[in-house]
Amino acid sequence: MSSGKREEAQPLATTSPPGSENLLYLTDDQLRRGIEAMFFAYRGFTADPDRILERHGYGRAHHRAVHFINRQPGTTVNNLLDILGVTKQSLNRVLRTLIEDGLVESRVGTRDRRERHLYLTEAGRALENELSEAQRRRMRAAYRAAGPEAVAGFRKVLEHMMDPELRRQFHSIREGR
Amino acid sequence: MSSGKREEAQPLATTSPPGSENLLYLTDDQLRRGIEAMFFAYRGFTADPDRILERHGYGRAHHRAVHFINRQPGTTVNNLLDILGVTKQSLNRVLRTLIEDGLVESRVGTRDRRERHLYLTEAGRALENELSEAQRRRMRAAYRAAGPEAVAGFRKVLEHMMDPELRRQFHSIREGR
DNA sequence: AATTTACGTCAGCGTTGTTGACTTTCCAAG
DNA sequence: CTTGGAAAGTCAACAACGCTGACGTAAATT
């Protein structure tokens, strides 16, 4: 298999465009490099929080919950389920430990008393900040090193990589309430 | 987005730069948006392969193994461990099923008979292509929609997000052998 | 009054990470 | 040549965190 140079080994190849325009950045090899870059970068992206979480006895699922509760204080369980894209059983396990440990407070809704509104406690905010701080530090370094135009491009590509539904949710997250 | 409001809710805030340059893209809020974009985009990034893998009864770990074996045919288990960043026990389980199912071939090393050199079989290449094809399709669409300059920026930021060691590995992956 | 919705929980399973203990193989020092 | 250690790989058991299914309860809706 290894023999030759080109990509001939691919039987179902979709290699070069037939119209053969000058879109070098769309070759299969460039796309593969992008895929690998995404893989390695995501590892870096989660490395710092992972270390912190381990010290506290939590996992990534806890991080995600804490992050989005901080982002939308008072959010309901159902809303969080939509954002995180997991089952309620899975989320519940995580939320239960966070509530037991006093990082998250669950208040029964006033308008609709079936709903539980979630808030970070002081301790919860402290953990969130520790995690976020570490992640922002890395992000800031990457942004700074790459420069503003690169950041704009980065954000643009990421947005187009999302599923349309997730993209809506991404845009529906705002400051404050 | 979020026009007027500040980020006063953070007690331990590291918000605005003291030197107060014009680096809008480095505000904590922009960084948080970037973090969330990464989160949602990665979901999209893995969504298509996940569906395919499920049909075949595999998981993401299988995808990663198949991907990098395809990328570096004849690679050893140890080399793969470095790239994937998991324990050999974890990788071994995945490799075993792939070998049993006839997607991967493991050849004892000639120079050092402790080593196993890994190759995709015809069936393995078929699966790799199916997965890669789906992922490349999404990547291509995102690249095309964002344009060449955005792609360059995307790649630049991702590179700076990697751990230095991972970045070296990223660059050490090449075509052919 | 009946149905639907929001939430919580129990039970059980699969993937994928972990550590610990073991075999086989290689190599170098005695 | 032998021996002891390092390296590559395998087996066993456990934990985190996804999943499905079933059930219960309270509250809103029809």
Side-chain angles (χ1 to χ4, degrees):
Chain A
M1 60 171 58
S2 48
S3 58
K5 311 218 169 201
R6 302 148 304 166
E7 254 196 337
E8 54 158 19
Q10 292 304 337
L12 317 166
T14 50
T15 314
S16 290
S20 194
E21 300 125 20
N22 195 13
L23 306 176
L24 291 186
Y25 69 113
L26 291 176
T27 63
D28 277 15
D29 185 52
Q30 279 303 309
L31 295 169
R32 277 180 200 272
R33 294 295 286 172
I35 288 167
E36 283 165 5
M38 219 23 210
F39 171 69
F40 286 114
Y42 200 78
R43 286 252 298 276
F45 175 69
T46 55
D48 304 324
D50 281 352
R51 271 187 291 271
I52 295 168
L53 289 160
E54 197 189 3
R55 287 209 313 270
H56 291 260
Y58 294 125
R60 272 186 211 177
H62 300 85
H63 184 187
R64 293 193 283 267
V66 163
H67 175 97
F68 285 107
I69 293 173
N70 176 68
R71 225 22 184 161
Q72 302 183 307
T75 186
T76 63
V77 173
N78 240 358
N79 185 19
L80 211 47
L81 286 179
D82 275 350
I83 292 173
L84 297 178
V86 298
T87 60
K88 65 175 176 179
Q89 294 92 328
S90 195
L91 176 58
N92 189 260
R93 186 178 2 185
V94 169
L95 278 182
R96 200 189 315 156
T97 71
L98 289 174
I99 292 170
E100 280 171 4
D101 295 350
L103 301 187
V104 168
E105 191 188 350
S106 167
R107 301 185 200 153
V108 173
T110 51
R111 224 195 51 195
D112 185 335
R113 285 168 46 195
R114 291 172 305 179
E115 294 179 339
R116 307 297 143 89
H117 297 273
L118 304 169
Y119 300 89
L120 293 187
T121 64
E122 201 56 43
R125 276 193 294 277
L127 176 61
E128 196 285 329
N129 199 278
E130 190 183 355
L131 292 166
S132 177
E133 167 90 0
Q135 209 157 26
R136 271 179 283 135
R137 187 178 307 124
R138 184 183 290 254
M139 202 60 117
R140 193 180 300 115
Y143 274 18
R144 199 186 298 275
E149 304 89 14
V151 170
F154 168 72
R155 286 286 302 272
K156 204 168 175 184
V157 173
L158 286 190
E159 285 218 23
H160 286 290
M161 208 176 298
M162 299 177 197
D163 275 341
E165 193 203 345
L166 293 180
R167 196 172 168 185
R168 283 192 301 98
Q169 288 185 345
F170 172 68
H171 283 292
S172 79
I173 297 174
R174 283 289 174 279
E175 288 303 293
R177 45 171 290 91
Chain B
M1 54 187 59
S2 95
S3 51
K5 308 282 191 177
R6 297 153 304 164
E7 252 197 340
E8 53 163 16
Q10 290 304 334
L12 315 168
T14 48
T15 314
S16 289
S20 196
E21 298 125 21
N22 195 16
L23 306 176
L24 291 185
Y25 70 111
L26 291 175
T27 63
D28 277 16
D29 185 52
Q30 280 302 310
L31 294 169
R32 276 180 201 272
R33 294 296 287 171
I35 289 167
E36 283 165 4
M38 227 9 219
F39 172 68
F40 286 114
Y42 200 78
R43 286 252 297 274
F45 175 69
T46 55
D48 303 325
D50 281 353
R51 272 187 289 273
I52 294 168
L53 289 160
E54 197 190 2
R55 288 207 313 270
H56 291 260
Y58 294 126
R60 275 186 209 175
H62 300 85
H63 183 186
R64 293 194 282 265
V66 163
H67 174 96
F68 285 107
I69 293 172
N70 176 68
R71 214 47 170 148
Q72 303 182 307
T75 186
T76 63
V77 172
N78 234 5
N79 184 18
L80 212 47
L81 286 179
D82 276 349
I83 293 174
L84 298 178
V86 298
T87 59
K88 61 181 175 176
Q89 294 89 330
S90 192
L91 175 59
N92 187 259
R93 181 177 17 196
V94 169
L95 280 181
R96 199 190 317 154
T97 71
L98 289 174
I99 292 169
E100 281 172 4
D101 296 353
L103 301 187
V104 168
E105 191 189 351
S106 166
R107 300 186 202 153
V108 174
T110 51
R111 225 194 48 193
D112 185 337
R113 282 167 47 197
R114 293 172 301 180
E115 295 178 341
R116 305 298 141 90
H117 297 272
L118 303 169
Y119 301 88
L120 291 187
T121 65
E122 201 57 43
R125 276 193 294 277
L127 176 61
E128 196 286 328
N129 199 278
E130 190 183 356
L131 293 166
S132 177
E133 167 91 2
Q135 209 158 25
R136 272 179 281 135
R137 188 178 304 123
R138 184 183 291 253
M139 201 61 117
R140 192 181 299 116
Y143 274 18
R144 199 187 297 275
E149 304 90 14
V151 168
F154 168 73
R155 286 286 302 273
K156 205 168 175 184
V157 173
L158 286 190
E159 285 218 22
H160 286 289
M161 208 176 299
M162 299 176 196
D163 276 341
E165 193 203 344
L166 293 179
R167 194 171 169 186
R168 281 191 303 98
Q169 288 184 347
F170 171 69
H171 284 293
S172 79
I173 298 174
R174 284 287 174 279
E175 287 304 293
R177 40 171 295 96

